[in-house]
Amino acid sequence: MKNELFKNILFSVGGIVMIGSTAMSCASDDIQMHHDDYLGSGSITQGAATTVVSNLFTCQNGRSRVAGIGEITDAQGAVWTVPGSNQFSSAPKAMDLYEQCAGITPRNLAEVNQDDVPVVTVDPQGEVITGYIFADNYFELYINGKLIAVDSVPFTPFNSSIVKFKVSKPYTIAVKVIDWEENLDLGSENNRGNAYHAGDGGFIASFSDGTVTNRDWQAQTFYTSPILDLSCLSEKDGARLSTDCGVTDEKNGQQAYAVHWTMADNWMNEDFDSSTWPQASLYSDDEIGVNNKKAYMNFIEKFSGAGASFIWSTNVVLDNEVLLRYTVN
C-alpha cells in the first residue's frame, strides 16, 4: 500500500541530485553517495539480496504476492536476512478473523466462533485475554517472552487475526512487524505500474482487558530501505530516523541502499531494557489505506472503533522491520 506522508522524491537533473514532488527516473550513476556519508549506528548494504527461500506462502483461493526471503552481506562480512528473520514456517499461526486464501470471510464478528480460538498459557493462574490484530504485512506476537502466534499470511492478501492467551498482570507485549517486499533488500514491490514501489506498513491491535495500540507503545526500527542518499539518515534520542529521506518508485530502485541493525536475542523478554527506544508514531486508517480492506472494515469495532490506532516507527514507508513493546499494568 502507498502512504502519502512522504512525497519528497530524489531525482536527477543534469547529474545533480535534487528534491522534487514527482518521481522521475534517475540513472544508476546519479547515485553518488558512499558509505562514508552515513554516520549512524547501522550496517549498510546496497542492491538486491540473494534469494534463499523463493516463497513462504501459496494462496489457495485467489492470488498472493511472492513472500520470499533473502540474504545479503555487508562490507564487514555480516549476513543480513531480509525483509527480516521470522518464524513463519515453524511457529503456530494465529487464528484468522478474515483470510481470503483460506476461504474465511465472515461479514462481521458475530459470524466468528471465538470459542474455537486456542488459549496459550503464559501464567496458569492468569486471566484469559483475547486480542484482535491487523498487520501490514506480518506480525509475531510474544507475551512475557513466550511466542503466542505468528501471522498466517506473510504478505498479501490482507488478513486479520484473533488470539487468546492466559496471563497475570503486569505483562509485556512484544511484537515483531515486517512490511514484506518483493524486491529483497530493496524495500519495494512491483505495484501501481512501478517495479520498485516502496509500500508502507502498519499495525493495530486491541485486547479484551482494554489494552490498545497507541502512542504509549515503543517502536524501534531494525531495517530501512530503499535509501538513495545516505546523508538523509539521522539518529536522535534513540530513534533511527529516515523521515528526511525521499521515496522513489523509479528505475534506480535496484541501486538502493539498505540499513540494518542487530536485534538482541532477548528483545521480546519481560526484563529486556528498551528504555532507549522511542515511542511509536500514530497513523490514521486513511493514512494506512484500510477503508477498502474487508479484513479490517468487517471488524472495525475491534480496531479503531475500540480506540486503537495504527502504530509504526517514524517512517511507515521506508522502515520495513520494526519491534514493538508495551507493558500492561
Side-chain angles (χ1 to χ4, degrees):
M1 294 190 295
K2 183 176 177 63
N3 184 279
E4 298 298 330
L5 295 177
F6 306 96
K7 292 185 178 179
N8 288 333
I9 310 300
L10 289 171
F11 65 96
S12 173
V13 177
I16 301 174
V17 175
M18 304 180 68
I19 299 291
S21 60
T22 304
M24 298 178 64
S25 294
C26 179
S28 61
D29 58 1
D30 291 323
I31 303 174
Q32 299 296 330
M33 291 303 182
H34 302 288
H35 292 196
D36 291 344
D37 295 303
Y38 176 63
L39 303 177
S41 60
S43 296
I44 302 298
T45 57
Q46 185 180 24
T50 299
T51 299
V52 295
V53 177
S54 59
N55 191 15
L56 287 173
F57 179 79
T58 300
C59 185
Q60 301 300 319
N61 296 287
R63 294 186 300 174
S64 59
R65 287 190 177 274
V66 173
I69 298 175
E71 290 183 348
I72 191 165
T73 304
D74 65 23
Q76 288 70 46
V79 178
W80 300 93
T81 300
V82 289
S85 58
N86 63 87
Q87 300 189 62
F88 178 82
S89 296
S90 58
K93 306 298 189 294
M95 180 172 160
D96 293 300
L97 275 175
Y98 189 102
E99 209 270 82
Q100 173 188 330
C101 294
I104 301 171
T105 57
R107 294 167 295 180
N108 51 56
L109 195 62
E111 295 184 359
V112 177
N113 187 350
Q114 299 188 57
D115 293 337
D116 287 345
V117 182
V119 177
V120 180
T121 298
V122 180
D123 297 318
Q125 305 305 316
E127 172 190 359
V128 175
I129 307 296
T130 303
Y132 305 88
I133 299 172
F134 180 96
D136 180 359
N137 298 105
Y138 174 78
F139 74 88
E140 296 183 351
L141 172 68
Y142 296 83
I143 302 296
N144 288 351
K146 182 180 181 67
L147 180 60
I148 304 302
V150 306
D151 205 334
S152 67
V153 180
F155 204 165
T156 63
F158 292 100
N159 66 309
S160 50
S161 306
I162 180 171
V163 297
K164 288 184 179 181
F165 51 89
K166 192 174 187 179
V167 70
S168 300
K169 293 181 179 179
Y171 65 91
T172 298
I173 304 173
V175 188
K176 175 183 286 190
V177 285
I178 297 175
D179 179 27
W180 221 274
E181 58 192 13
E182 286 180 305
N183 303 313
L184 298 172
D185 203 51
L186 301 178
S188 57
E189 61 196 47
N190 189 342
N191 199 358
R192 305 191 181 200
N194 298 299
Y196 297 96
H197 170 80
D200 65 357
F203 178 83
I204 190 169
S206 74
F207 299 85
S208 58
D209 62 354
T211 302
V212 295
T213 47
N214 56 30
R215 198 183 299 277
D216 293 333
W217 288 53
Q218 294 176 300
Q220 184 60 286
T221 301
F222 285 84
Y223 166 47
T224 297
S225 180
I227 300 296
L228 301 184
D229 176 355
L230 292 172
S231 68
C232 71
L233 298 163
S234 62
E235 298 182 18
K236 182 179 180 181
D237 298 329
R240 298 158 179 172
L241 301 173
S242 56
T243 48
D244 289 337
C245 300
V247 179
T248 180
D249 286 341
E250 294 301 320
K251 295 179 181 178
N252 54 351
Q254 69 269 25
Q255 299 294 327
Y257 291 102
V259 192
H260 310 265
W261 288 267
T262 301
M263 200 174 291
D265 292 338
N266 64 336
W267 71 267
M268 73 291 289
N269 289 352
E270 192 175 7
D271 59 356
F272 175 75
D273 181 9
S274 60
S275 58
T276 61
W277 287 16
Q279 290 179 299
S281 296
L282 304 186
Y283 301 90
S284 69
D285 290 2
D286 287 340
E287 288 169 334
I288 301 300
V290 292
N291 293 327
N292 63 345
K293 302 295 186 294
K294 293 181 179 179
Y296 180 85
M297 295 301 294
N298 288 10
F299 318 99
I300 193 169
E301 73 273 19
K302 292 299 182 181
F303 296 121
S304 58
S309 297
F310 274 99
I311 61 173
W312 203 258
S313 63
T314 55
N315 194 329
V316 78
V317 174
L318 297 182
D319 296 343
N320 303 317
E321 185 180 26
V322 175
L323 298 184
L324 309 172
R325 284 178 60 91
Y326 179 73
T327 297
V328 180
N329 292 305

